[in-house]
Amino acid sequence: MAIGFAITSTEGQYNGKITSFVVLSCMMASMGGVIFGYDIGISGGVTSMEPFLKKFFPEVYTRMKEDTKISNYCKFDSQLLTLFTSSLYIAGLITSFFASLVTTAFGRKPSILAGGAAFLAGAALGGAAVNIYMLIFGRVLLGVGVGFANQAVPLYLSEMAPPKYRGAINNSFQFSVGIGALAANLINYRTQKIKGGWGWRISLAMAAVPASVLTLGALFLPETPNSLIQCSSNHEKAKKMLQRVRGTDDIQAELDDLIKANDVSKTIKNPYMNIIQRKYRPQFVMSIAIPFFQQVTGINVIAFYAPILFRTMGLGISAALLSAIVTGVVGIGTTFISMLIVDKVGRRFLLIMGGSIMFVSQLTVGGIMATKLGDHDGLNKGYAFLVLVLICIYVAGFGVSWGPLGWLIPSEIFPLEIRSAGQSISVAVNFLFTFVVGQTFLSMLCHFKSGIFFFFGGWVAMMTVFVFLLLPETKNLPIEQMDRIWKEHWFWKKFVRTNKELIGKIDGA
C-alpha cells in the first residue's frame, strides 16, 4: 500500500521564472507576517514586565512578588491576563470569514490593505492605553488586522509564485512572522530597562511601524492574475499581468487553466456549502487538521509565554527576555533553511522530520522539569541552560516544518471555486485553537506543571503519524492542477474519483 504520492514528472508545468516584480511584490505582502509575528512576540514580553503587570494586572503582580507559598507554575495563572493575549485571536477568527468575502469579491489586495489599517489603529490604541478596556479593545483591532492579513497574504504568495518555487515563496510568510517576533523580543529586552516603568508603551506602540509599511505598501501591490480573472471578466488584463509575473509571453497554458478554474467557480453559489461535499473531503479535512495540529505542537507556549516560562524556571526578567531572543533567532534561521529546501525535499519529509525533533525535545524538557524544578525552587544554571538548548532544538524542528508548512499547505491545495472559503476556514481554525491554547496555557501550566510538555508531545506524535498516512506530497505541482494528488492517494481517491474514473481504472488494470 502506497502511503504518499509525489509528482515527479514535469507534465503540466507552466512556463515562467522568478522575476524581480514577483520578488518585490511578495516581499511587501509578507509584511503581513511581520505584524502577526510582532504581536506574538510583544504580548509575551510585556506580560512579564512588572510595571505592566502592576498597572493592568495587580493581582498577578502581587502574587509574583509577595506570595512565597504559591507554586512556580501558578504565579502567572490569571484568566484576565491570558485574555489580553488571546482576545486578538477571537477577533481574528470572526474577521477571517468577513475577509473571505472581501478577498473573493474584491481581490487579495484590498484585504491586505484593510489588515494593515486595522492593525495600525490597534497599535495606537494599545500604546496609549490607560485602562484594561482600552488595552483589550486595542487587541481586538489588532485581531481584525491579523484576520484580514492572514486570510489574504498566504493566498497572494501562492498565486503569485511559479509552481516550482511556490514553497519557498510562501514560506516567506512564516519567515516574516519570525522576523516580527524577533524584533518584538529585541524591543522588549530594551524597553524593560527604561526607568519609570513606561517601556511597555513603546513595545505596544512600535507595532505601528510594520503596520504602516504594510498599509502604504498595499496601495502599490499588483493584484494576482487569479484574482483578476475571478473578480472581473477582463481576461486581457489578467493575461498581461500573468505575462509580467512569469517573465514570459508564453503563458497561454496557465491562463487557460485559470479561466477554466474560474468558470467552475462561477457555478458555485455558496463555497462554504460546497467545501463539505464528498469530492472536496480531502481539502476540507486538511483545512481543519493542518492548522489544528500546528497549534497543538505547543509552539505558542514558547511564542506567547517564553519569558514567563523562563521566569517560571527561576530566571530574572532580563535573562528571560534574552532567552526568548535566542529562540527567535533559531526560529528565523530554520525557517530560512526550510525556504531553501522545501521545493526540493518536499513537504512530507520536513513535516515528519520536524515532528520527530519536536517530540523528542518536548519529552526531554518535561523530564528535566519534572525531576529538577520543584514548586518553589528554580533550576540551577546548568539545567536552565540545557532546557534553553532543548527548547531551541524544539523551535528549530517547528521552524523547518510545521511553522511555514502550516500556512503553505492550506494555501496551495484548494481549487479556485472554494479557495477563499477554504483559506478562511483554515485561518479561523488556526485562530480558534490559538485562542484556546493561549487562554488555557497558564492554567494548564499551574495544574499540569511539567506534564504540559508531555501533553503537547503526545499531540506531536499523533500529527506526525497523520502526515505519514494521509498527507500526499504537493511540491512542484501547479496550484490549478492540485486535484491530481488526491485521485492518486491510497485513501483519498475513493472520495474524489468519479464513477467513470474508477471504472476506467479497473478496465485498464
Side-chain angles (χ1 to χ4, degrees):
M1 178 177 63
I3 297 300
F5 173 75
I7 300 297
T8 56
S9 72
T10 58
E11 180 184 352
Q13 290 289 341
Y14 303 131
N15 293 313
K17 57 186 178 180
I18 289 286
T19 63
S20 58
F21 181 69
V22 168
V23 171
L24 292 174
S25 299
C26 291
M27 285 177 61
M28 180 55 63
S30 292
M31 287 300 295
V34 175
I35 66 173
F36 186 37
Y38 187 89
D39 179 80
I40 290 174
I42 218 70
S43 58
V46 297
T47 51
S48 67
M49 295 182 187
E50 293 180 6
F52 179 82
L53 293 173
K54 188 175 182 180
K55 182 174 181 62
F56 296 106
F57 307 98
E59 291 183 2
V60 177
Y61 175 78
T62 302
R63 187 188 308 148
M64 181 181 69
K65 298 295 288 185
E66 300 177 7
D67 194 338
T68 59
K69 295 182 179 180
I70 194 169
S71 168
N72 284 324
Y73 294 99
C74 300
K75 288 182 178 180
F76 292 90
D77 184 16
S78 166
Q79 289 300 301
L80 188 60
L81 180 61
T82 51
L83 181 63
F84 163 73
T85 298
S86 56
S87 58
L88 178 148
Y89 298 96
I90 284 295
L93 187 160
I94 297 171
T95 301
S96 65
F97 290 103
F98 291 100
S100 171
L101 300 176
V102 174
T103 303
T104 300
F106 302 104
R108 286 52 168 156
K109 176 178 174 177
S111 284
I112 296 173
L113 179 61
F119 199 90
L120 183 60
L125 197 59
V130 296
N131 55 51
I132 190 65
Y133 302 106
M134 285 183 68
L135 197 67
I136 297 296
F137 186 60
R139 294 288 295 172
V140 169
L141 286 176
L142 293 175
V144 172
V146 170
F148 271 101
N150 285 20
Q151 206 280 338
V153 171
L155 286 184
Y156 185 93
L157 298 176
S158 284
E159 291 180 346
M160 290 290 280
K164 63 180 179 179
Y165 300 114
R166 187 174 60 245
I169 289 178
N170 191 278
N171 279 12
S172 67
F173 179 76
Q174 181 66 24
F175 184 72
S176 298
V177 171
I179 290 175
L182 178 60
N185 286 324
L186 287 169
I187 290 170
N188 281 336
Y189 182 70
R190 297 297 300 175
T191 58
Q192 62 89 21
K193 296 177 180 293
I194 294 176
K195 294 180 179 180
W198 51 272
W200 60 268
R201 290 192 182 276
I202 296 178
S203 293
L204 294 178
M206 284 291 287
V209 175
S212 298
V213 174
L214 179 65
T215 304
L216 294 175
L219 294 173
F220 302 97
L221 275 181
E223 192 56 89
T224 71
N226 312 59
S227 186
L228 289 172
I229 289 175
Q230 187 177 37
C231 298
S232 71
S233 57
N234 189 345
H235 293 174
E236 189 61 31
K237 185 177 181 181
K239 181 179 180 179
K240 290 180 180 178
M241 179 58 68
L242 191 58
Q243 289 172 335
R244 189 176 182 189
V245 166
R246 297 292 179 250
T248 177
D249 291 335
D250 186 14
I251 47 81
Q252 194 60 46
E254 184 172 3
L255 181 65
D256 289 343
D257 276 352
L258 293 180
I259 293 173
K260 182 179 178 181
N262 182 62
D263 290 340
V264 173
S265 72
K266 295 298 184 184
T267 66
I268 307 298
K269 297 184 184 292
N270 189 335
Y272 289 103
M273 291 299 297
N274 276 79
I275 199 172
I276 63 176
Q277 291 182 8
R278 181 181 175 87
K279 64 179 180 178
Y280 298 126
R281 190 65 45 81
Q283 295 96 325
F284 181 61
V285 169
M286 295 302 165
S287 72
I288 296 173
I290 296 296
F292 168 74
F293 284 135
Q294 187 190 50
Q295 295 312 306
V296 294
T297 57
I299 187 60
N300 284 328
V301 172
I302 307 302
F304 293 158
Y305 300 118
I308 289 178
L309 186 63
F310 289 126
R311 294 207 71 181
T312 295
M313 295 187 301
L315 300 182
I317 177 60
S318 292
L321 289 172
L322 186 59
S323 298
I325 291 171
V326 172
T327 59
V329 171
V330 171
I332 289 177
T334 51
T335 300
F336 182 71
I337 292 172
S338 180
M339 291 173 62
L340 297 179
I341 65 176
V342 64
D343 291 312
K344 297 177 182 178
V345 302
R347 283 64 159 152
R348 279 169 46 83
F349 173 80
L350 290 179
L351 289 174
I352 293 170
M353 180 188 69
S356 302
I357 292 171
M358 288 189 287
F359 177 72
V360 173
S361 58
Q362 280 180 319
L363 293 192
T364 309
V365 170
I368 292 173
M369 295 186 71
T371 56
K372 301 299 180 180
L373 179 66
D375 283 335
H376 303 289
D377 300 321
L379 289 175
N380 63 42
K381 288 186 178 180
Y383 280 111
F385 178 76
L386 178 58
V387 168
L388 175 59
V389 170
L390 288 167
I391 288 178
C392 286
I393 293 173
Y394 162 82
V395 170
F398 181 84
V400 80
S401 61
W402 281 92
L405 303 188
W407 295 105
L408 166 62
I409 293 170
S411 73
E412 66 182 0
I413 61 173
F414 301 112
L416 184 62
E417 63 267 22
I418 59 168
R419 186 169 301 157
S420 187
Q423 180 69 8
S424 67
I425 291 173
S426 182
V427 171
V429 171
N430 187 293
F431 282 154
L432 174 61
F433 287 97
T434 303
F435 169 79
V436 170
V437 171
Q439 189 65 29
T440 61
F441 170 67
L442 294 180
S443 180
M444 290 171 67
L445 181 64
C446 179
H447 291 88
F448 286 14
K449 300 183 180 179
S450 59
I452 192 74
F453 291 95
F454 299 110
F455 172 79
F456 287 118
W459 281 112
V460 170
M462 186 182 301
M463 59 201 255
T464 303
V465 173
F466 175 89
V467 169
F468 182 76
L469 293 176
L470 296 176
L471 183 66
E473 184 55 68
T474 59
K475 69 172 182 177
N476 297 335
L477 187 65
I479 196 170
E480 302 302 347
Q481 298 179 19
M482 198 62 69
D483 61 323
R484 290 166 53 188
I485 63 172
W486 312 111
K487 292 179 180 179
E488 298 296 332
H489 190 269
W490 72 272
F491 179 77
W492 296 119
K493 64 183 179 182
K494 62 186 177 183
F495 291 95
V496 300
R497 281 184 172 179
T498 64
N499 291 333
K500 182 177 180 181
E501 287 174 321
L502 289 172
I503 292 171
K505 186 73 174 179
I506 294 172
D507 290 342

